[in-house]
Amino acid sequence: MRARPDRPVRPLGVIALLVGALALAGCATTDATGAGADSAATAEPDAMTSEPMDDASETPEASADTMDDAEAAPAEGAYLDYEDGAIEATAGPKALFFHASWCPKCRALDDDLKAQGAPDGLTVFKVDYDSRTDLRQQYGVTIQTTIVFVDDAGEKISSVVLYDDPSVESLVAAIP
């Protein structure tokens, strides 16, 4: 949906669906004013518009078609700090990056992920190697810079150690 200078953007259709999905996933979102997604729900009634949609491209059917096209396109990757429940709450391919702040190879991969971003469609969770011994034991991780690819239930698909070549390119090559 395109914003028009003469009309405010309405939280309808695709925007409302995306905001709702992000809210369920626990993601922080902002609207055009920079306020959080929750601000739309608490906004003054006159701040929202109730004018009818008069453009065929703004109908709910057109929004659904647009959403289907967006799902077909590769999603941008994400690089996030690991939190309990994050695997189950995140759809799509996921990898755990076991990172130690004292490890120069980990810092190199961390810097590369921050500079280039995670590979398209992949969510990479940064797991603290030193404090998350439970996850290290669960996935059989014995060295930092280990990447563990997991499914939606958190079951291990495969793993790789990127100690010799800590780069996004090596990460991409290891994707199952």
PDB file of all heavy atoms in Angstrom, residues 1 22 31 37 45 53 81 85 112 125-126 154 175:
ATOM      1  N   MET A   1       0.860  -1.155   0.000  1.00  0.00           N
ATOM      2  CA  MET A   1       0.000   0.000   0.000  1.00  0.00           C
ATOM      3  C   MET A   1       0.904   1.215   0.000  1.00  0.00           C
ATOM      4  O   MET A   1       1.855   1.288   0.748  1.00  0.00           O
ATOM      5  CB  MET A   1      -0.899  -0.018   1.239  1.00  0.00           C
ATOM      6  CG  MET A   1      -1.733   1.199   1.333  1.00  0.00           C
ATOM      7  SD  MET A   1      -2.904   1.312   2.701  1.00  0.00           S
ATOM      8  CE  MET A   1      -2.787  -0.147   3.588  1.00  0.00           C
ATOM      9  N   LEU A  22       4.056  -9.412  14.103  1.00  0.00           N
ATOM     10  CA  LEU A  22       5.278  -9.001  14.789  1.00  0.00           C
ATOM     11  C   LEU A  22       5.056  -8.906  16.292  1.00  0.00           C
ATOM     12  O   LEU A  22       5.927  -9.268  17.083  1.00  0.00           O
ATOM     13  CB  LEU A  22       5.782  -7.664  14.240  1.00  0.00           C
ATOM     14  CG  LEU A  22       6.354  -7.722  12.825  1.00  0.00           C
ATOM     15  CD1 LEU A  22       6.639  -6.319  12.314  1.00  0.00           C
ATOM     16  CD2 LEU A  22       7.602  -8.575  12.784  1.00  0.00           C
ATOM     17  N   ASP A  31       5.556   2.797  14.129  1.00  0.00           N
ATOM     18  CA  ASP A  31       4.741   3.298  13.032  1.00  0.00           C
ATOM     19  C   ASP A  31       5.486   4.439  12.354  1.00  0.00           C
ATOM     20  O   ASP A  31       6.652   4.696  12.643  1.00  0.00           O
ATOM     21  CB  ASP A  31       3.352   3.714  13.528  1.00  0.00           C
ATOM     22  CG  ASP A  31       3.403   4.827  14.566  1.00  0.00           C
ATOM     23  OD1 ASP A  31       4.453   5.502  14.677  1.00  0.00           O
ATOM     24  OD2 ASP A  31       2.392   5.027  15.257  1.00  0.00           O
ATOM     25  N   ALA A  37       4.235   0.082  18.171  1.00  0.00           N
ATOM     26  CA  ALA A  37       3.017  -0.454  17.568  1.00  0.00           C
ATOM     27  C   ALA A  37       1.835  -0.323  18.511  1.00  0.00           C
ATOM     28  O   ALA A  37       0.703  -0.165  18.083  1.00  0.00           O
ATOM     29  CB  ALA A  37       3.227  -1.917  17.187  1.00  0.00           C
ATOM     30  N   PRO A  45      -8.981   8.884  19.191  1.00  0.00           N
ATOM     31  CA  PRO A  45      -9.856   8.468  18.099  1.00  0.00           C
ATOM     32  C   PRO A  45      -9.730   9.370  16.877  1.00  0.00           C
ATOM     33  O   PRO A  45      -9.804   8.901  15.763  1.00  0.00           O
ATOM     34  CB  PRO A  45     -11.275   8.549  18.691  1.00  0.00           C
ATOM     35  CG  PRO A  45     -11.072   8.473  20.175  1.00  0.00           C
ATOM     36  CD  PRO A  45      -9.717   9.013  20.453  1.00  0.00           C
ATOM     37  N   MET A  53     -12.486   3.035   2.019  1.00  0.00           N
ATOM     38  CA  MET A  53     -11.466   2.838   0.993  1.00  0.00           C
ATOM     39  C   MET A  53     -12.116   3.067  -0.361  1.00  0.00           C
ATOM     40  O   MET A  53     -13.158   2.504  -0.659  1.00  0.00           O
ATOM     41  CB  MET A  53     -10.908   1.413   1.072  1.00  0.00           C
ATOM     42  CG  MET A  53     -10.107   1.176   2.314  1.00  0.00           C
ATOM     43  SD  MET A  53      -9.275  -0.406   2.317  1.00  0.00           S
ATOM     44  CE  MET A  53     -10.625  -1.520   2.623  1.00  0.00           C
ATOM     45  N   ASP A  81      20.054 -11.649  19.523  1.00  0.00           N
ATOM     46  CA  ASP A  81      20.533 -12.307  20.729  1.00  0.00           C
ATOM     47  C   ASP A  81      19.544 -13.412  21.092  1.00  0.00           C
ATOM     48  O   ASP A  81      18.330 -13.228  21.000  1.00  0.00           O
ATOM     49  CB  ASP A  81      20.648 -11.317  21.882  1.00  0.00           C
ATOM     50  CG  ASP A  81      21.824 -10.365  21.723  1.00  0.00           C
ATOM     51  OD1 ASP A  81      22.859 -10.775  21.163  1.00  0.00           O
ATOM     52  OD2 ASP A  81      21.697  -9.217  22.173  1.00  0.00           O
ATOM     53  N   GLY A  85      12.861 -19.598  24.379  1.00  0.00           N
ATOM     54  CA  GLY A  85      11.611 -19.567  23.636  1.00  0.00           C
ATOM     55  C   GLY A  85      11.734 -18.959  22.250  1.00  0.00           C
ATOM     56  O   GLY A  85      10.787 -18.977  21.475  1.00  0.00           O
ATOM     57  N   ASP A 112      31.132  -9.514  11.081  1.00  0.00           N
ATOM     58  CA  ASP A 112      30.699  -9.762   9.700  1.00  0.00           C
ATOM     59  C   ASP A 112      29.178  -9.861   9.617  1.00  0.00           C
ATOM     60  O   ASP A 112      28.567  -9.319   8.693  1.00  0.00           O
ATOM     61  CB  ASP A 112      31.351 -11.040   9.173  1.00  0.00           C
ATOM     62  CG  ASP A 112      31.471 -11.062   7.655  1.00  0.00           C
ATOM     63  OD1 ASP A 112      31.518  -9.980   7.027  1.00  0.00           O
ATOM     64  OD2 ASP A 112      31.519 -12.174   7.089  1.00  0.00           O
ATOM     65  N   PHE A 125      20.698 -16.762  15.817  1.00  0.00           N
ATOM     66  CA  PHE A 125      20.631 -16.374  17.219  1.00  0.00           C
ATOM     67  C   PHE A 125      22.031 -16.465  17.823  1.00  0.00           C
ATOM     68  O   PHE A 125      22.680 -17.512  17.756  1.00  0.00           O
ATOM     69  CB  PHE A 125      19.680 -17.295  17.996  1.00  0.00           C
ATOM     70  CG  PHE A 125      18.250 -17.140  17.612  1.00  0.00           C
ATOM     71  CD1 PHE A 125      17.618 -18.103  16.847  1.00  0.00           C
ATOM     72  CD2 PHE A 125      17.526 -16.023  18.004  1.00  0.00           C
ATOM     73  CE1 PHE A 125      16.290 -17.966  16.488  1.00  0.00           C
ATOM     74  CE2 PHE A 125      16.205 -15.872  17.657  1.00  0.00           C
ATOM     75  CZ  PHE A 125      15.580 -16.839  16.883  1.00  0.00           C
ATOM     76  N   LYS A 126      22.468 -15.377  18.416  1.00  0.00           N
ATOM     77  CA  LYS A 126      23.773 -15.312  19.088  1.00  0.00           C
ATOM     78  C   LYS A 126      23.604 -15.851  20.505  1.00  0.00           C
ATOM     79  O   LYS A 126      22.879 -15.284  21.321  1.00  0.00           O
ATOM     80  CB  LYS A 126      24.257 -13.861  19.100  1.00  0.00           C
ATOM     81  CG  LYS A 126      25.600 -13.637  19.712  1.00  0.00           C
ATOM     82  CD  LYS A 126      25.949 -12.160  19.570  1.00  0.00           C
ATOM     83  CE  LYS A 126      27.141 -11.754  20.353  1.00  0.00           C
ATOM     84  NZ  LYS A 126      27.408 -10.300  20.186  1.00  0.00           N
ATOM     85  N   GLY A 154      13.322 -26.894  17.626  1.00  0.00           N
ATOM     86  CA  GLY A 154      14.613 -26.788  18.286  1.00  0.00           C
ATOM     87  C   GLY A 154      15.478 -28.028  18.141  1.00  0.00           C
ATOM     88  O   GLY A 154      16.532 -28.127  18.763  1.00  0.00           O
ATOM     89  N   ILE A 175      24.688 -23.833   5.182  1.00  0.00           N
ATOM     90  CA  ILE A 175      23.236 -23.957   5.351  1.00  0.00           C
ATOM     91  C   ILE A 175      22.763 -25.281   4.742  1.00  0.00           C
ATOM     92  O   ILE A 175      23.053 -25.563   3.586  1.00  0.00           O
ATOM     93  CB  ILE A 175      22.489 -22.760   4.726  1.00  0.00           C
ATOM     94  CG1 ILE A 175      22.847 -21.478   5.458  1.00  0.00           C
ATOM     95  CG2 ILE A 175      20.972 -22.991   4.739  1.00  0.00           C
ATOM     96  CD1 ILE A 175      22.297 -20.211   4.803  1.00  0.00           C
TER      97      ILE A 175
END
